[in-house]
Amino acid sequence: MLAEAVDPVGVLVRLFTLGDPVPAVAAGAALPTLGVDRAVGLGLLQRCGSGQVRACVDLQPHAVVDDLGESSWWVCSDLGELAHGGGVLPTEHVLGVGTASTTLVEAVVPPVAGQRCLDVGAGSGVQSLHLSRTGPRLVATDVSGRASAFARVTAALNGVALDVRTGSLFDAVPGERFDRVVANLPFVVTPRRADVPTYTYRDAGLAGDDVVHRMLVSAPAHLRSGGLAQFLGNWEDRADEPWTDRVGGWVEEAAAALAEATDGADVLDVWVVQRELADPALYAEAWISDGGRPGREEAESWYRAWLDDFADRGVEAVGFGIVTLRRRPADPATPPLRRLDDERAVIPGAWRDVLAAGLTGHDSLGRVGALTDLDALLDTRPVLAAGVVERRELDPGQPDPRTVHLVDTRRRGRVVEASTALAGLVGACDGELSVGQVVAALATLLEDDEAALRARLLPAVRDLVAEGLLVLPGQG
């Protein structure tokens, strides 16, 4: 049985997952490099009599295998709910690797070696570990001194150079700018009522979704030109203000502030992807249970507080998603990117690839003037991106397909339904012929009006470039 396990894996599970005391000898065998004495000295373990030790903190392995290669680390955080023996977690609890952590990891476009990166709301330091893979210079902040301490321990355990500072949002880095800003914010919408616990790891102490608003508006000032900020957030979808209007208003506020601060020299690109939209009642239930197991009366009181809070503001749903901001020099040919996408129906892979391809596609369309004049695409010679395939569905015995889809197999399986003409155009995109030449040939082949066909195809070509399925010459 696990409760009696003495093999290294079983001992580590008993220590750090179940919170059980184990023989010091067994702990030493499970931690041969660190050793019991050093683990006790670091505060990871404590002696508890009868030759046994108990975990003071959670120490979990964390690994990733992706296009950057293989990496593995140890993450130090507070003991989890199971090790606590049930009940409600302390409000200063510091999480280890959670679902939100891995969601953000999948979205962050990797920095380049030597770039300066900031991890806001670092918690136990998970995002900083992933950022460290490409060799940037790292700064991490958190409003919680306890979380800052855990981030320092996590970095030290893994040999990562990390400048950890304590402060809310950007308070600890006044006037500083970075090439990358990532933030796993304490974004949970929580009722501001004294009897509802405010967990530091998930609650910023602000009303509604104001922490996301503040992050979006304040982040551009801390980006270098060309820099990216990426963070997770919740936002309210209200009866009198849909989420696109609400978040869109914040976007324009942030863009206006940046334009004023730089006298129009820099602009802000914004891409918001809504991944989930939760019913208020289900949202409340999820976050009440997230903090442990409160008593029935306590849970019912918190539940009523959540629903009353939502009702006061007319909240019909709560959105969750990824916000990507980019600060760059203004260019008349490349208007600022504004995308607020609802992608709940899509099962994503690595969102970082999707976002990076979209930003690159936007730039390349601007470079050839196609963002302001679709006809500029006629002289381009796009090529089909690697990994994009065509799938056809035919009725048995029929020569013509019922449907044609272009599928990007590299990332999240992006599927675009294509007309016969668009499929023909994409099939000819090998860099030899211009779009104008292909459209002319298709018009003759399909016995279609060339001007009408051009009007139908050019918007589709622009969208395929913007999504990264077609690549323009010079586009990465």
Side-chain angles (χ1 to χ4, degrees), residues 271 326 339 353-371 377 380-386 388 408 410-411 429 431 435 460-476:
W271 191 350
R326 179 176 64 169
R339 291 186 63 169
D353 297 328
V354 177
L355 297 169
L359 292 172
T360 302
H362 182 76
D363 292 345
S364 64
L365 288 169
R367 178 171 46 79
V368 300
L371 290 171
L377 287 170
T380 64
R381 290 174 165 76
V383 296
L384 190 64
V388 177
D408 187 348
R410 300 165 298 171
R411 299 189 289 264
C429 286
V435 171
V461 172
R462 175 198 57 202
D463 292 346
L464 290 176
V465 173
E467 293 289 340
L469 277 70
L470 286 179
V471 181
L472 297 182
Q475 179 181 342

Side-chain angles (χ1 to χ4, degrees), residues 178-422:
F178 302 85
D179 301 290
R180 289 284 189 280
V181 174
V182 302
N184 186 3
L185 297 173
F187 54 72
V188 177
V189 180
T190 308
R192 303 266 68 87
R193 211 172 80 175
D195 63 325
V196 178
T198 54
Y199 293 100
T200 306
Y201 71 86
R202 73 184 197 192
D203 179 15
L206 303 174
D209 49 18
D210 195 44
V211 68
V212 179
H213 176 200
R214 292 192 187 186
M215 183 69 187
L216 201 159
V217 172
S218 58
H222 293 276
L223 289 174
R224 291 173 172 170
S225 193
L228 288 178
Q230 296 183 275
F231 54 94
L232 301 180
N234 275 161
W235 40 79
E236 297 179 347
D237 191 84
R238 300 181 177 179
D240 60 351
E241 189 180 29
W243 79 271
T244 48
D245 292 348
R246 184 166 183 75
V247 178
W250 301 343
V251 168
E252 296 313 317
E253 180 184 349
L258 179 62
E260 181 179 0
T262 64
D263 291 326
D266 283 354
V267 297
L268 187 66
D269 292 321
V270 183
W271 191 350
V272 181
V273 180
Q274 180 168 269
R275 294 279 308 278
E276 300 173 17
L277 193 63
D279 174 82
L282 295 178
Y283 184 88
E285 290 176 4
W287 288 112
I288 288 170
S289 62
D290 173 78
R293 298 190 182 98
R296 180 173 179 177
E297 289 186 7
E298 207 170 27
E300 288 178 352
S301 174
W302 297 350
Y303 183 69
R304 286 193 297 269
W306 242 290
L307 295 189
D308 289 345
D309 184 57
F310 285 140
D312 287 345
R313 294 190 301 277
V315 177
E316 295 184 333
V318 181
F320 167 80
I322 305 159
V323 178
T324 299
L325 312 177
R326 179 176 64 169
R327 175 174 173 170
R328 63 173 172 84
D331 178 0
T334 311
L337 176 67
R338 294 288 185 271
R339 291 186 63 169
L340 278 76
D341 297 344
D342 192 329
E343 293 282 4
R344 286 175 289 157
V346 177
I347 301 175
W351 270 96
R352 70 171 71 95
D353 297 328
V354 177
L355 297 169
L359 292 172
T360 302
H362 182 76
D363 292 345
S364 64
L365 288 169
R367 178 171 46 79
V368 300
L371 290 171
T372 54
D373 180 11
L374 276 178
D375 285 344
L377 287 170
L378 293 171
D379 293 328
T380 64
R381 290 174 165 76
V383 296
L384 190 64
V388 177
V389 300
E390 179 184 295
R391 292 180 181 166
R392 297 184 172 223
E393 186 175 286
L394 296 91
D395 289 321
Q398 298 300 312
D400 297 322
R402 182 198 306 156
T403 58
V404 178
H405 291 96
L406 303 173
V407 182
D408 187 348
T409 63
R410 300 165 298 171
R411 299 189 289 264
R412 51 176 173 159
R414 184 68 166 175
V415 177
V416 177
E417 186 168 354
S419 64
T420 300
L422 180 59

